[in-house]
Amino acid sequence: MTKEQAFIIRPASAADIEHIVRLDAAVTSMPKSTYWEALFKDCQSRRNQHFLLVAVKGDVLVGFIAGEIRAWEFGSPPCGWVFAIAVDPNTRLSGMGADLFQAICDAFRRAGITKVRTMVARDAQLVMSFFRAQGMMAGPFVELEKDLDE
């Protein structure tokens, strides 16, 4: 990494939330400030099981990753779940996403977790390619769903 590309990864602070909301909205086109505020509070109250990490370049938040440790859902032993990752489109291909993923995997390992999972929409090719490049592959569970407004 060159000095020009340098960024640091650290746990999110309350001051980061508005930047996370802005970056998430820019990437997903769906603003969800209430969601991110609640997730940050969960991370503060359960620091050894919920993780919200940010990548900062200078004073600018340019990426984040969120996940948590879940246990015994449908018989699954405790494992880490990554449920959000975003990198500023202007800083993509710098390795930041991979470093964020590695940082949350390290947090899971420190908590005694040996497996990480995520869920990706079938048509989200960019996200799917990213996670496959991190060594992730199809797992032993299948997601099922049903519309409840029938």
Side-chain angles (χ1 to χ4, degrees):
M1 178 182 321
T2 67
K3 186 175 181 179
E4 186 177 353
Q5 295 172 315
F7 55 87
I8 62 165
I9 296 174
R10 59 169 172 73
S13 69
D16 296 322
I17 300 306
E18 72 178 88
H19 303 288
I20 290 170
V21 169
R22 189 176 313 127
L23 178 56
D24 177 56
V27 172
T28 66
S29 301
M30 293 183 283
K32 12 182 172 11
S33 60
T34 303
Y35 169 79
W36 288 110
E37 290 164 5
L39 186 120
F40 177 72
K41 288 179 184 173
D42 285 348
C43 290
Q44 295 303 297
S45 66
R46 299 175 66 189
R47 289 178 186 247
N48 60 345
Q49 292 188 308
H50 292 222
F51 305 96
L52 178 56
L53 306 175
V54 296
V56 180
K57 189 174 183 179
D59 294 336
V60 180
L61 188 147
V62 288
F64 66 85
I65 191 165
E68 67 183 11
I69 297 170
R70 295 182 185 170
W72 308 121
E73 296 168 332
F74 299 97
S76 172
C79 66
W81 271 90
V82 173
F83 49 80
I85 185 168
V87 172
D88 182 314
N90 295 322
T91 61
R92 286 187 182 156
L93 303 177
S94 66
M96 182 183 306
D99 286 354
L100 282 163
F101 182 77
Q102 186 61 48
I104 202 163
C105 287
D106 290 345
F108 291 144
R109 278 189 203 95
R110 285 191 298 273
I113 298 301
T114 59
K115 188 164 301 277
V116 63
R117 293 188 170 116
T118 193
M119 184 169 61
V120 179
R122 291 175 196 248
D123 62 351
Q125 293 301 311
L126 180 65
V127 179
M128 181 75 77
S129 295
F130 170 77
F131 281 118
R132 286 191 185 267
Q134 304 312 307
M136 297 189 82
M137 60 183 87
F141 294 92
V142 175
E143 174 198 297
L144 302 173
E145 68 180 35
K146 174 185 177 184
D147 288 332
L148 297 178
D149 58 354
E150 296 177 348

